[in-house]
Every structure is written in structure tokens, then in C-alpha cells.
Amino acid sequence: MRTPPKSGLAASAMLLAVTGCGLLGTGDKGGTGTDGKVTITLAGPNQWNSSGSTFGPAWEAIVDSFEKREPGIEVKTQVLPLDGFSQTITTQLAAGTAPELVFNQPPHKAHEVHALDAELQKPNPYVPGNQRWIDVFKKEYYGPGVAKALSKESGKLEYIPFNLVAIGLFYNKDAFAKAGVDRPPATWEDFRSACKKLKDAGFDPVALDKGGMAAGWTWESISTQLVDKYHEEWNFFDAAGKPGKATASPVVTEKSLSKAIKEGTLSTKTPEVAEALKLYKEFFDCGTPNWTGVADGGATVGYRDFVAGKAAMSWGTDFAVEALKADAKFPLATMPFPTITKATTPLSTDAPARYGASIGGTSYMIPSTVKDEKYAAAVKFLQYMSSPAIKPWLDATGGLPAIEGVEPSAETAGLLEGEWGKTFRVTGLPGGPEGTSFRDVFDGYLLGERSLEEELDDLAKWWDRGVEAGIKKNAWGDEDWAK
């Protein structure tokens, strides 16, 4: 079923952090220096700016600091085109020609990269007092417990995360002050009040565009709150998809949600579905007028309107910060999506808004062809990037730390604030089958062209198609509930 997964929309958005980005060039490839230094090359997409040769000044600074700490090692950066990096790395790994460090997301075979489990049991020399490298990471995001999610083929820890990826709402502090909004809206009632004040002050409260991120993230953020009450009732399968109870969030997975829909436990007649749709439209009604004609803003929804000061809030990821700080002429910060309380609807249980972060941000792995001193140098760089030395780079880029003891940047701290930084317990209500955009499902309703009743009737058909497609794709057809 088509849901807006954290590793899907958010990870896609972080690769679009630069607005209007085209093909990016490549830098120098590494080799063994004539001065006796071990030279290694890191190759991946540029997630922060439009340069074809560097990930930005902050990146150059952290590389310089590593080279000063390790004068026998030189690190070069190879910037790969956004629209071709995946194929390039996959091809290089298969051919055995990949450089020493490569971005982790391209498809690959387990034997093409080094498993790092043994290395992670050794001390990280750049973290004082550390006995095991693995212990520096935030366990809810990275460690043996999530190994299968990292590499379904090998079940090994193949890469090291440099940061986390998360979503939330950016806001213009000056716009809030001018409109008399004295704090970020924490509840839906706060949001309603802020929406009116911002409109009265001449702002579009929320930046929207024709891309799919706002549609997906908003639907997920609203629906997960209202159906949170069903997390025990709908918890049919464990994390492996076997009958039982899942314990790690989300406890109600796609398969469990499919069963609930198939058996009629969940339907578009479930009261929370209509309520979610009402609030969903209210959010869009508070946004940019004629948003279907606004260009996709990349990792920040409605980027141009937001940085121009026309809109006061915008959905975005932490990867948008470097571009925002360069283009916006106002102080900015981030906040969680507002919590829907009983003051707004009796269907609420006051379940807090949750989304959580994940390791689908910047992570690198070492190809299995890398040996001896180059392998050792690559490991050292990965260790350095998971030490407190990473703090200046995170602050400059808005990055969220994957390791303990390092605070997030001031601009993006709100993306991990309170319950919003935790994963929701029930997967968001679906749209249509895989490959269907949320705009396909909801545009007519959000634009006022269809009534709520018409949307509910149509949504029921989307769900039926989505469940059947999911059953076929995942080979669930032999299970009793799926027949």
C-alpha cells in the first residue's frame, strides 16, 4: 500500500536539498601520493549545495581537520551527479573499480562491500574513553538491532551514518514576531490561531507547492495521531511479518494495516478517517493559494516563497538548512507538526504528533576491493566522522547527530523535539497502490472540487486496490486473512 515512508519521501527530499540543481561534475579521484601519504577518495551525491567539486566549506573544513590529525592521510572528494550517482556506484562496485568510500544507498551485493561489525567492536580512537566504536551511536537509529534493515542480504552493518534525516516545519522567526505569534504552535488550536494571525499580517502561513512531499507528510502526520488508539487492536504481525506482536515502532506495520483493511477492522467509515481528511484540508487551506502552480521546492516545500519571506512556515528536512541560511534574510528555526488534542476533536486521545528520525541521510561504506593501508585510512575517516569532531560540520549544515553527546544545530533542533523525534506507533493511513502519488488521491478534495463524502467513497476504492496490489507483491496471498 502506498504510504509516505520515512526512508522514502524524507530520503528523496534530502537528495533535493539544493533548489534548481542540475548535473554536478566530479572531482579528482584518489591514488597513492608521491609524498608517501595514503590518498583515499570519497564519492557520492552533493546533498548541500550546487557545487560540482565540493560538498561546501564546512565539509572542506572537517576534511582539513582530519588531515591535520592524520598527516599521513589525504582525503579527496568526488561529487557525483544527483541523477546518476546510484548507477555509477552500483556499476563501480560490481566492476571492482569503486573508490575507497562510497555513498551507501545505491543497490549492491553484500560481497561488494566490507562488513564493519568487527571494526565496530574496537575502540574509536577519536572518542576519549571509548571501548567499542558501536557504543558512540544512538542505539535507536544504528546498531546490531537494525542490522537487517541496513542490509537485507547480509544482515551486517555495512556503513557508517554521518548524520540523521528528519522532517518538520521550518518557520520564519521575523514573520511570527510581526504577526504576534509568540511561540511555535504546539497544538492544532495553536496552529489555527497562528494561521489567522499570519494571514492578517499579510503572510501565507504555510508554503505549499505542486510536489508530493507536503501532501504525504501532512497526511501521515495527521492520520498517525488519530489512529494511534488502535495500535494494540491492529498489531497483528511482528517485525518479520509473522503472526504475533511487533514491539518496535511502528508496531502497526504496512502488513498489519493491510489486514485491518482487508478484514474491515479499518475502513473509510472508521470515524477517524473522515476527521483526518477534514484537518488535512484545513492545513492546505492555510497554505499558499493556487499551490498546484508553484514549482517543486526540493527539500523545502515552496522554497522560493519561504526564503522570500512570503510564507511563514514550510515543510522541510535538515538537509535544507545550508541553502536556507544562504538565501533567507531572516532567522529561522524548526518545530514539530502540531498535536491534535481533544480540544480540536473528541476523536483525539491526545496522542502526540510523532515522526522520528532515521539513518537515511549521509552514510558511507567501504568497497571490498579496498585493502591494506587504504582500508585502514578509510576506517579512520569513518571513525573521525562519528566523533565529537563532527559538531562544526553538523552546525553548518543543520545536520542531526547520529552519535551520543553531540547536540543538533540550533536551526534543526525542533526536528527531534519531544515526542516528534520518536517514531509513530501506527503507520500512516494509505493513499493508493504503490506508484500512486498522494496528489492523485487527494487533490480533488484538497482543492475543493470534491466533497468529503465523494473523497471517502473514492478512497475506499484506492485502499482496496492498494491492499490487493500489496498482497500480490509481498506474496501474502496464501495467508488466510489475504484470501
Side-chain angles (χ1 to χ4, degrees):
M1 287 166 32
R2 177 65 172 86
T3 60
K6 295 144 69 95
S7 60
L9 284 179
S12 297
M14 66 87 183
L15 289 175
L16 295 172
V18 185
T19 59
C21 44
L23 293 180
L24 304 182
T26 58
D28 295 331
K29 293 185 177 181
T32 303
T34 56
D35 55 2
K37 289 185 177 182
V38 176
T39 301
I40 59 175
T41 295
L42 178 145
N46 191 337
Q47 299 165 281
W48 301 277
N49 58 66
S50 58
S51 171
S53 60
T54 174
F55 294 159
W59 175 260
E60 297 298 331
I62 197 167
V63 169
D64 287 345
S65 68
F66 172 74
E67 291 175 342
K68 288 178 181 177
R69 179 72 180 264
E70 298 290 345
I73 301 174
E74 180 182 13
V75 180
K76 294 187 176 183
T77 302
Q78 182 181 5
V79 180
L80 300 178
L82 283 174
D83 65 348
F85 77 88
S86 184
Q87 183 61 52
T88 296
I89 292 174
T90 295
T91 300
Q92 289 178 339
L93 287 171
T97 59
E100 290 73 24
L101 290 163
V102 294
F103 195 64
N104 75 300
Q105 291 185 19
H108 60 277
K109 302 294 185 182
H111 70 272
E112 294 171 351
V113 297
H114 284 284
L116 298 172
D117 298 69
E119 297 289 355
L120 286 160
Q121 295 302 313
K122 302 173 184 177
N124 183 331
Y126 307 106
V127 180
N130 175 256
Q131 297 300 310
R132 296 193 313 161
W133 183 8
I134 190 66
D135 293 336
V136 309
F137 297 97
K138 295 181 178 181
K139 293 179 177 59
E140 62 267 42
Y141 304 118
Y142 183 79
V146 293
K148 289 184 179 179
L150 298 180
S151 176
K152 293 181 180 179
E153 181 179 346
S154 70
K156 302 293 184 179
L157 295 168
E158 296 177 342
Y159 60 80
I160 300 299
F162 295 174
N163 53 28
L164 304 174
V165 61
I167 68 166
L169 291 166
F170 284 86
Y171 67 93
N172 178 337
K173 289 185 175 182
D174 286 348
F176 273 30
K178 289 176 183 177
V181 180
D182 56 6
R183 64 182 183 276
T187 68
W188 197 264
E189 294 306 299
D190 293 339
F191 175 75
R192 282 176 172 167
S193 174
C195 182
K196 183 179 186 305
K197 289 180 179 179
L198 288 162
K199 282 186 176 180
D200 289 345
F203 296 99
D204 292 337
V206 180
L208 297 173
D209 61 34
K210 66 180 181 180
M213 293 192 301
W217 288 338
T218 306
W219 178 242
E220 187 170 42
S221 298
I222 292 172
S223 65
T224 53
Q225 293 185 62
L226 293 182
V227 299
D228 178 82
K229 65 183 73 170
Y230 298 111
H231 74 275
E232 285 294 334
E233 182 179 346
W234 296 346
N235 189 7
F236 301 118
F237 301 104
D238 64 19
K242 303 295 183 182
K245 297 290 185 181
T247 55
S249 292
V251 294
V252 178
T253 61
E254 178 187 340
K255 186 177 182 181
S256 288
L257 208 63
S258 297
K259 183 177 187 292
I261 293 173
K262 183 73 173 177
E263 296 180 339
T265 306
L266 165 63
S267 76
T268 55
K269 294 181 180 180
T270 303
E272 289 77 13
V273 179
E275 194 70 8
L277 282 168
K278 292 175 186 176
L279 297 176
Y280 188 33
K281 188 174 188 308
E282 184 178 348
F283 184 89
F284 270 72
D285 287 347
C286 189
T288 306
N290 303 313
W291 49 270
T292 54
V294 178
D296 189 337
T300 312
V301 175
Y303 184 88
R304 290 172 179 80
D305 284 347
F306 183 63
V307 297
K310 182 179 179 182
M313 290 178 278
S314 173
W315 274 113
T317 78
D318 45 313
F319 283 85
V321 168
E322 188 165 336
L324 285 173
K325 288 198 294 187
D327 293 342
K329 307 305 178 186
F330 52 81
L332 56 89
T334 48
M335 67 183 206
F337 192 81
T339 290
I340 302 163
T341 67
K342 292 176 181 176
T344 296
T345 171
L347 293 175
S348 167
T349 57
D350 289 332
R354 296 189 180 102
Y355 199 87
S358 70
I359 51 174
T362 306
S363 302
Y364 278 82
M365 54 191 179
I366 306 174
S368 56
T369 51
V370 180
K371 305 292 184 182
D372 303 325
E373 71 273 8
K374 285 185 175 290
Y375 173 78
V379 168
K380 284 186 176 182
F381 187 72
L382 294 179
Q383 291 172 326
Y384 192 75
M385 293 300 291
S386 46
S387 77
I390 202 172
K391 173 68 171 169
W393 178 66
L394 292 176
D395 285 345
T397 61
L400 297 168
I403 62 173
E404 300 285 0
V406 175
E407 295 298 318
S409 70
E411 292 86 2
T412 53
L415 302 182
L416 295 180
E417 183 179 311
E419 293 292 319
W420 181 250
K422 301 177 182 178
T423 305
F424 37 69
R425 295 193 293 187
V426 181
T427 296
L429 295 178
E434 184 176 358
T436 303
S437 76
F438 279 86
R439 288 200 51 195
D440 290 338
V441 177
F442 296 117
D443 262 15
Y445 171 68
L446 294 176
L447 294 169
E449 297 168 355
R450 288 193 297 173
S451 68
L452 175 62
E453 290 72 24
E454 289 172 327
E455 181 63 30
L456 287 167
D457 288 344
D458 199 46
L459 189 59
K461 298 173 185 176
W462 283 113
W463 284 10
D464 287 343
R465 289 169 55 190
V467 169
E468 294 305 321
I471 289 172
K472 182 177 181 180
K473 176 186 175 182
N474 295 292
W476 296 332
D478 292 336
E479 299 184 30
D480 289 341
W481 68 269
K483 296 177 181 177

